[in-house]
């Protein structure tokens, strides 16, 4: 069978999670992006305002709470105050670097984000989320080797960390290693059988490998979990047998 040339190019959903570290028990905030873009676009003024906040705001006892805020300016200012005063509690200092790294990531300051995630790892070599986020940051700079290394390290620390499987699968996709994409997403689905992004991306990989029936099945599963997923509906319409010539 041959694919109809009218079928449009189909791409993966990068759905990577950048999340501030709160504790092992809870995660106060998460945000995801598609197609390699940032979660949110912050312009130059974010950093100008943050400098003002840092200059005129003394360190507060509630900085630890503010550092976990979903509000970028508040989080950036509070995390930086914790870092600048050199908190002696390692976990709190690591959290401040991690959360500031998330703000830098979301504002497109990838080099600064990598620097902060690296500091987290120096303070806590078992911080799997820091390896995941740094791996994603390296991926966005085009350094796929370092990205793979970081995802691999995250999985050594936390073998059931689905974000690491998701992130690594995107790197494999960029390298054209589609069989590895499928294997990593198999693991993500084992961890979370309701992971719509894993089913969607595995379906795309199966489609690109020529496994049309498996691709259709995965996209249908995506829609069973997320019935309003317009992208999945469009893809399913493209890859159904009606679009295949015998």
């Amino acid at each position: 069978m041959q694919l109809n040339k009218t079928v449009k190019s189909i791409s993966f959903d990068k759905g990577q999670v950048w999340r501030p570290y709160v504790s092992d028990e809870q995660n106060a905030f998460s945000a995801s992006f598609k197609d390699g873009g940032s979660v949110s676009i912050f312009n130059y003024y974010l950093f100008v305002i943050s400098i003002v906040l840092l200059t005129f705001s003394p360190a507060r006892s509630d900085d630890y709470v503010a550092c976990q805020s979903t509000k970028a300016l508040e989080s950036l200012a509070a995390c930086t105050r914790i870092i600048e005063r050199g908190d002696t509690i390692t976990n709190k200092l690591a959290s401040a670097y991690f959360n500031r790294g998330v703000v830098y990531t979301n504002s497109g300051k990838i080099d600064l984000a990598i620097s902060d995630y690296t500091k987290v790892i120096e303070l806590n070599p078992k911080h799997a989320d820091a390896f995941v986020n740094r791996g994603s940051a390296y991926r966005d700079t085009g350094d796929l080797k370092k990205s793979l290394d970081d995802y691999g390290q995250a999985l050594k620390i936390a073998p059931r960390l689905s974000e690491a499987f998701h992130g690594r699968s995107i790197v494999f996709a960029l390298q054209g290693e589609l069989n590895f994409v499928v294997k990593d997403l198999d693991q993500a689905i084992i961890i979370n059988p309701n992971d719509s992004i894993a089913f969607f991306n595995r379906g795309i990989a199966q489609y690109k490998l020529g496994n049309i029936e498996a691709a259709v099945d995965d996209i249908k599963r995506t829609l069973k979990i997320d019935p309003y997923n317009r992208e999945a509906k469009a893809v399913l319409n493209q890859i159904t047998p009606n679009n295949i010539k015998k």
Side-chain angles (χ1 to χ4, degrees), residues 173-246:
L174 292 171
Q175 295 178 327
E177 300 285 354
L178 297 178
N179 286 312
F180 288 131
V181 172
V182 172
K183 288 180 180 179
D184 268 2
L185 295 175
D186 286 346
Q187 294 303 310
I189 290 168
I190 289 171
I191 295 167
N192 178 11
N194 292 315
D195 189 336
S196 63
I197 291 177
F199 277 114
F200 180 86
N201 281 357
R202 192 175 70 174
I204 299 302
Q206 295 284 20
Y207 168 74
K208 290 177 180 289
L209 285 167
N211 302 325
I212 306 303
E213 289 184 6
V216 169
D217 182 61
D218 274 348
I219 301 303
K220 285 182 176 179
R221 290 191 183 190
T222 301
L223 288 168
K224 186 175 181 180
I225 298 167
D226 182 9
Y228 301 103
N229 189 320
R230 293 181 180 179
E231 190 173 7
K233 288 180 180 179
V235 169
L236 183 61
N237 185 55
Q238 291 180 20
I239 70 174
T240 49
N242 291 334
N243 284 329
I244 301 173
K245 290 183 178 179
K246 295 184 178 180

Side-chain angles (χ1 to χ4, degrees), residues 26-241:
Q26 76 178 88
N27 182 22
F29 157 77
S30 65
S32 60
F33 65 87
K34 292 185 177 182
D35 301 325
S38 298
V39 176
S40 303
I41 303 299
F42 293 94
N43 59 27
Y44 172 77
Y45 292 104
L46 183 153
F47 294 96
V48 172
I49 296 171
S50 68
I51 291 172
V52 174
L53 288 174
L54 292 174
T55 302
F56 295 101
S57 299
R60 303 189 310 268
S61 60
D62 61 349
D63 277 343
Y64 300 113
V65 174
C67 183
Q68 298 165 13
S69 173
T70 59
K71 298 177 181 179
L73 291 176
E74 183 178 354
S75 178
L76 181 63
C79 292
T80 300
R81 284 194 295 270
I82 294 170
I83 291 167
E84 288 186 343
R85 71 175 180 249
D87 200 300
T88 57
I89 302 175
T90 301
N91 287 342
K92 290 184 177 180
L93 188 58
S95 296
Y97 274 110
F98 186 91
N99 291 356
R100 192 175 70 172
V102 171
V103 175
Y104 284 144
T105 297
N106 294 345
S107 60
K109 302 292 183 179
I110 303 301
D111 289 340
L112 291 176
I114 289 173
S115 177
D116 273 1
Y117 295 138
T118 299
K119 191 64 180 179
V120 176
I121 292 166
E122 290 173 359
L123 292 166
N124 179 7
K126 298 294 185 181
H127 200 306
D129 286 339
F131 278 107
V132 169
N133 279 13
R134 192 176 70 172
S136 298
Y138 277 134
R139 183 190 68 207
D140 287 348
T141 68
D143 196 333
L144 301 187
K145 182 181 183 305
K146 286 185 178 179
S147 180
L148 284 177
D149 288 344
D150 274 357
Y151 289 131
Q153 188 61 39
L155 288 168
K156 287 181 181 178
I157 298 166
R160 292 182 58 81
L161 186 58
S162 63
E163 289 86 357
F165 284 114
H166 271 284
R168 192 170 67 176
S169 74
I170 294 298
V171 177
F172 285 142
L174 292 171
Q175 295 178 327
E177 300 285 354
L178 297 178
N179 286 312
F180 288 131
V181 172
V182 172
K183 288 180 180 179
D184 268 2
L185 295 175
D186 286 346
Q187 294 303 310
I189 290 168
I190 289 171
I191 295 167
N192 178 11
N194 292 315
D195 189 336
S196 63
I197 291 177
F199 277 114
F200 180 86
N201 281 357
R202 192 175 70 174
I204 299 302
Q206 295 284 20
Y207 168 74
K208 290 177 180 289
L209 285 167
N211 302 325
I212 306 303
E213 289 184 6
V216 169
D217 182 61
D218 274 348
I219 301 303
K220 285 182 176 179
R221 290 191 183 190
T222 301
L223 288 168
K224 186 175 181 180
I225 298 167
D226 182 9
Y228 301 103
N229 189 320
R230 293 181 180 179
E231 190 173 7
K233 288 180 180 179
V235 169
L236 183 61
N237 185 55
Q238 291 180 20
I239 70 174
T240 49

